[in-house]
Amino acid sequence: MLPLPSSLLPSLASALIYAAVTAYQGTRLARGAKSSKRLLCGAGVVAVLLQALAVSSQMLTPGGLNLDFITAASLIAVAVIALTLLACASLPVENLLVLLFPLGVVTVLVAQFVPPGTVPRIDDEPGILSHILLSILAYGVFTIAAFQALLLLAQDHQLKHKHPSGPIRAFPPLQTMESLLFGFLWAGWVLLSLSLISGWLFLENMFAQHLVHKTLLSCLAWIVFSVLLWGRTRLGWRGHVAIRWTLSGFVLLMLAYFGSKLVREYILHI
């Protein structure tokens, strides 16, 4: 009988906690009632630590650092949820968790049960690792911003039609939601800028054949977010304009990382 993978029990426990807390928060939001922030954050911390334990055992292999498409998705989900839980200590962003906890369920289970694609060995030099860490943090913060933009879109739609539903009534005021969005965008922009700079410094050739699509799309995403932040500062962009630019930049960034990894690992097998 083959031994069970060391990541199995943490993965299942993490998914179960995520699912239970999502059901609790979803039910409370449907009634227009606030959830217990202490319960959400406490359970979320346990779940994300279990997912981090699972993904670390999947990443650290005898052959080197494994950061295939699926493991990378789970790692970024850990970063996204952990950053949001940290933000909950001082900001009213706990409503984001109703979208992020299901993301945790999906990524932790897929990472556990779906076979990986072609897995290239990751160079473990400090410069390369710092570039990877900055990239993951940037993707994580922009993912939070994208979910915040979706919540802001739903809130704006409900308020314009003057029929706010139960979940919308539990949200912070529209102005607060918008300020949070741009706070996340500024943080993500700084991290993405540092990620691109570290890539130029530590990668031998950012425009090599296997990196060119990732580099170009990441640069395009950086330009989109830069224009959005300039428009906010100089022209007062807000509302649907800000939401469209946020989601456009997010799509470019996700294509840059996950699109290129998906093609390389599951189609080209390189």
Side-chain angles (χ1 to χ4, degrees):
M1 183 177 178
L2 295 175
L4 294 175
S6 59
S7 60
L8 179 61
L9 290 180
S11 295
L12 293 177
S14 175
L16 182 61
I17 295 172
Y18 280 141
V21 181
T22 299
Y24 161 75
Q25 188 179 16
T27 301
R28 298 288 294 174
L29 284 173
R31 296 173 180 171
K34 289 188 177 182
S35 304
S36 168
K37 193 171 184 177
R38 181 176 296 181
L39 175 61
L40 289 177
C41 293
V45 167
V46 174
V48 80
L49 287 175
L50 287 168
Q51 185 175 9
L53 178 62
V55 77
S56 64
S57 66
Q58 293 157 352
M59 286 173 52
L60 303 175
T61 68
L65 186 65
N66 163 31
L67 204 61
D68 66 291
F69 176 86
I70 293 173
T71 307
S74 185
L75 180 60
I76 290 176
V78 167
V80 171
I81 296 169
L83 288 170
T84 306
L85 289 170
L86 286 173
C88 282
S90 56
L91 299 171
V93 294
E94 59 271 17
N95 287 327
L96 282 170
L97 296 172
V98 78
L99 300 177
L100 296 179
F101 283 160
L103 178 68
V105 174
V106 172
T107 53
V108 73
L109 292 179
V110 168
Q112 182 61 47
F113 295 110
V114 175
T118 304
V119 184
R121 186 181 183 277
I122 301 296
D123 194 333
D124 57 0
E125 294 181 5
I128 301 298
L129 293 178
S130 67
H131 170 67
I132 293 173
L133 177 61
L134 287 167
S135 298
I136 288 173
L137 289 174
Y139 296 143
V141 174
F142 277 125
T143 300
I144 297 171
F147 280 121
Q148 180 74 7
L150 292 174
L151 289 179
L152 186 60
L153 181 64
Q155 186 178 24
D156 183 66
H157 175 79
Q158 291 283 332
L159 292 175
K160 281 184 177 179
H161 289 77
K162 300 180 180 180
H163 294 295
S165 61
I168 300 302
R169 289 197 298 270
F171 286 8
L174 195 65
Q175 187 175 359
T176 301
M177 293 282 285
E178 196 170 79
S179 297
L180 290 172
L181 170 62
F182 279 95
F184 290 132
L185 288 171
W186 274 111
W189 182 85
V190 170
L191 288 167
L192 181 58
S193 300
L194 293 174
S195 170
L196 292 172
I197 291 170
S198 65
W200 283 106
L201 291 175
F202 300 118
L203 295 177
E204 291 184 5
N205 182 6
M206 286 186 70
F207 290 94
Q209 184 177 3
H210 65 291
L211 291 175
V212 62
H213 294 93
K214 177 182 176 182
T215 301
L216 289 175
L217 288 170
S218 296
C219 289
L220 284 174
W222 184 88
I223 292 171
V224 168
F225 288 122
S226 298
V227 172
L228 170 57
L229 293 171
W230 175 86
R232 170 69 168 185
T233 303
R234 297 292 185 180
L235 305 176
W237 286 0
R238 54 182 304 175
H240 284 266
V241 174
I243 292 169
R244 284 196 296 268
W245 280 80
T246 299
L247 296 179
S248 298
F250 175 73
V251 169
L252 286 171
L253 201 58
M254 290 300 103
L255 286 175
Y257 190 70
F258 288 111
S260 60
K261 286 183 75 68
L262 181 64
V263 171
R264 287 183 61 206
E265 295 176 20
Y266 289 92
I267 298 177
L268 300 179
H269 300 289
I270 58 175

